Amino acid sequence: MGACFVGIDLAWSPRNPSGVAALVPAGPRDGEALRVAAVETLARDGEIADFVGAHLAATTVVMVDAPLVIPNAAGMRECDREITRRFGRRQAGCYPANRGNMGRYNGGVPR
């Protein structure tokens, strides 16, 4: 396999499932559409790592949807507020990422 794109929508806690997907080129030529190779919901970190490992290719791009920098103790980050402002009407708003909320999951240890 020449290329694979893996997407992970990481839940804040293994108690909730994370969504994972792998996309591969639909054909042999550059620029062709991608096709879905696999879609799953997984809970444990090891399962997610195994999914990524099962879809390694000569070129693999892994994208993770998870808050990486959380400077605020409470409330919403400005980026989350803007996404919610633009897409909240379409049920695509953000859950407030703050240290208070993150502290309730995994004993306060980020995934």
Side-chain angles (χ1 to χ4, degrees):
M1 184 180 343
C4 186
F5 302 89
V6 177
I8 302 169
D9 185 5
L10 188 66
W12 288 14
S13 167
R15 293 184 312 206
N16 299 314
S18 295
V20 296
L23 304 173
V24 296
R29 294 188 305 269
D30 287 339
E32 288 192 281
L34 298 172
R35 70 173 176 80
V36 177
V39 175
E40 295 186 39
T41 54
L42 305 169
R44 295 188 313 270
D45 294 345
E47 293 174 321
I48 296 167
D50 289 345
F51 181 89
V52 173
H55 294 92
L56 292 178
T59 301
T60 303
V61 177
V62 178
M63 298 146 289
V64 181
D65 178 9
L68 299 176
V69 177
I70 306 172
N72 51 310
M76 292 182 91
R77 299 175 300 172
E78 186 56 39
C79 59
D80 296 332
R81 186 175 289 108
E82 182 64 18
I83 289 171
T84 298
R85 185 184 72 74
R86 292 181 184 218
F87 301 105
R89 289 183 293 270
R90 295 183 184 95
Q91 312 306 312
C94 290
Y95 186 74
N98 60 58
R99 290 192 309 273
N101 284 342
M102 290 299 291
R104 288 189 274 245
Y105 298 97
N106 304 325
V109 177
R111 292 185 83 184

